[in-house]
Amino acid sequence: MTIQFNNETFRDDYSFRNSAWAIKRFPFPFHEDSYMYSVNMEQHRGGPAGSVYEKRFDVDEHYLSEMRDRALVLADDPLRCQSLPHMTLAGWDVLELIMTCKAEDYPDLFELHRDGNRWRWINKPMGIDHSFTFLDPTTLPCGPLEYITRQTQGDFAVLDQRDEMLWMDAGMVTTQADWSLDFDIGMNFFEWHAPVPLAHEMGIFQRALKFLLNVQQGAPARRLNWTMTVNPLLDTSPENYHKWGVQKTTLTPENIGAKQHLRVELQTFFRLPRSNALLFPIRCYLIAFQDVVSVPKWGRRLHRVVRDLPEELATYKGFIANRPMMIEYLSQYDDGLPTSPGIWPDLETEPPLQK
């Protein structure tokens, strides 16, 4: 296999680590030295070789460990995966899309063989070799949405489109940034975004909805979103806030570089062919501050973004109490030099930190 998979944890001893390869390809979310909400949609048509944008469903060194963590979450709380009755066909759409994309994009890791409705799916990293009948749920061990998303990194919301609105009517959500599928299931686009400050007044969600309603089959879109997490936790759900919320109080000036993580979501949008539903994958990437600042451009920029972020956004993203400590740490890696435009690390051209 071409990817070396880590054996790591996102809980308990937190052995998660990014290799130098993973740091370099991290989806840094800030294209300039400040941040404010925007629609920031673009076509999801690949990207530079080796980047997280190159393939339609990115597979990286954390794949097997993330799938083990998902299984633990589901064993504890099966309601993290739900599908309303009218979304069964959309679940088959999702299964077909992911299997097809993975088999085409990673032929050394995944295979899909089709003979009419008789399909054979081979997932080499997870040791799965399963034959089933497409559209026959009795030939799978669970529903089609759950079956394939137990094998795919990231969360998945499946949005039904009706009455010029999107409705969250199915999903697999185990790596979310403090929102609940069980709470949001059946809500419309504006209802599940209601807690977000400033963006409603700016008309962000009205423009985003208009864009998403017009996503066409074969023309997926993408955007980046971000927040902060203390420790490399995938499951920061409201259901488990009593477990992870208290960890925000464990930061010190000595451990912040290792414990404070920038959490970035690569959000993509695919129109599904049979159901006309919209698939909304939300892929979570984590990186420790000490790894962010190893890239000079990113260290400079993250300091400026965190320092200048409006208080409402720092509060909403959950790090307002720790922001002074974060700014103090990051300031060591900002020498005031200008940064190049765009999100890329620019390691060959960005000047090293001037002590």
Side-chain angles (χ1 to χ4, degrees), residues 18-316:
N18 281 311
S19 66
W21 170 77
I23 294 170
K24 186 176 180 179
R25 73 193 300 267
F26 186 82
F28 191 72
F30 307 114
H31 68 278
E32 58 186 6
D33 289 354
S34 61
Y35 174 81
M36 179 48 72
Y37 282 122
S38 64
V39 176
N40 70 311
M41 299 280 191
E42 63 180 5
Q43 292 300 307
H44 185 37
R45 295 192 177 278
S51 74
V52 301
Y53 311 100
E54 181 184 11
K55 312 296 188 183
R56 289 163 288 186
F57 294 92
D58 184 44
V59 176
D60 65 10
E61 62 189 31
H62 308 297
Y63 175 58
L64 291 180
S65 298
E66 288 190 25
M67 295 302 92
R68 286 193 293 269
D69 195 80
R70 167 153 292 164
L72 291 172
V73 174
L74 290 170
D76 186 58
D77 184 3
L79 291 178
R80 300 297 188 88
C81 184
Q82 297 189 48
S83 180
L84 298 183
H86 65 281
M87 298 299 285
T88 301
L89 184 60
W92 286 106
D93 276 337
V94 174
L95 177 143
E96 180 183 37
L97 174 67
I98 293 177
M99 286 186 176
T100 301
C101 290
K102 284 193 167 186
E104 291 176 353
D105 292 347
Y106 299 94
D108 59 324
L109 302 179
F110 308 97
E111 297 178 21
L112 178 61
H113 305 276
R114 289 188 262 201
D115 179 11
N117 278 355
R118 291 294 300 160
W119 291 19
R120 180 186 177 197
W121 167 246
I122 301 173
N123 178 334
K124 295 178 184 177
M126 295 185 71
I128 295 170
D129 185 338
H130 183 71
S131 296
F132 63 96
T133 302
F134 186 68
L135 297 178
D136 182 354
T138 66
T139 60
L140 290 177
C142 52
L145 175 65
E146 180 178 350
Y147 179 77
I148 195 56
T149 56
R150 279 181 176 266
Q151 303 175 50
T152 310
Q153 289 164 279
D155 286 337
F156 295 85
V158 191
L159 313 178
D160 193 27
Q161 182 166 327
R162 59 185 187 271
D163 303 325
E164 293 299 305
M165 181 56 68
L166 295 172
W167 304 80
M168 189 178 295
D169 286 348
M172 167 70 86
V173 182
T174 67
T175 68
Q176 70 273 49
D178 200 11
W179 65 278
S180 169
L181 174 67
D182 192 40
F183 184 79
D184 289 353
I185 193 87
M187 286 188 180
N188 70 38
F189 185 82
F190 294 133
E191 290 169 340
W192 82 70
H193 282 114
V196 183
L198 301 181
H200 292 278
E201 297 88 332
M202 297 168 62
I204 297 295
F205 291 125
Q206 290 86 347
R207 295 197 297 275
L209 176 64
K210 184 176 181 179
F211 179 94
L212 293 173
L213 289 173
N214 289 287
V215 170
Q216 300 298 306
Q217 186 182 349
R222 69 186 180 213
R223 68 184 295 268
L224 293 177
N225 193 25
W226 68 278
T227 186
M228 298 286 184
T229 300
V230 175
N231 290 319
L233 276 157
L234 284 177
D235 178 20
T236 56
S237 60
E239 289 88 344
N240 278 335
Y241 183 79
H242 62 287
K243 298 178 182 179
W244 59 266
V246 68
Q247 296 183 34
K248 298 179 184 181
T249 66
T250 64
L251 284 186
T252 68
E254 292 72 34
N255 67 25
I256 188 171
K259 289 176 70 73
Q260 182 64 63
H261 285 68
L262 175 61
R263 182 189 193 97
V264 175
E265 296 173 350
L266 172 57
Q267 303 178 351
T268 50
F269 306 88
F270 294 83
R271 179 67 64 188
L272 300 174
R274 296 171 183 81
S275 61
N276 198 45
L278 192 69
L279 177 63
F280 177 22
I282 309 165
R283 174 66 192 280
C284 173
Y285 295 85
L286 294 165
I287 187 171
F289 269 22
Q290 65 189 14
D291 291 336
V292 175
V293 301
S294 70
V295 178
K297 171 181 173 178
W298 293 353
R300 294 179 175 109
R301 182 165 292 173
L302 185 60
H303 170 247
R304 298 165 195 180
V305 168
V306 173
R307 180 193 63 198
D308 300 336
L309 194 71
E311 185 173 344
E312 301 97 318
L313 294 189
T315 301
Y316 170 69

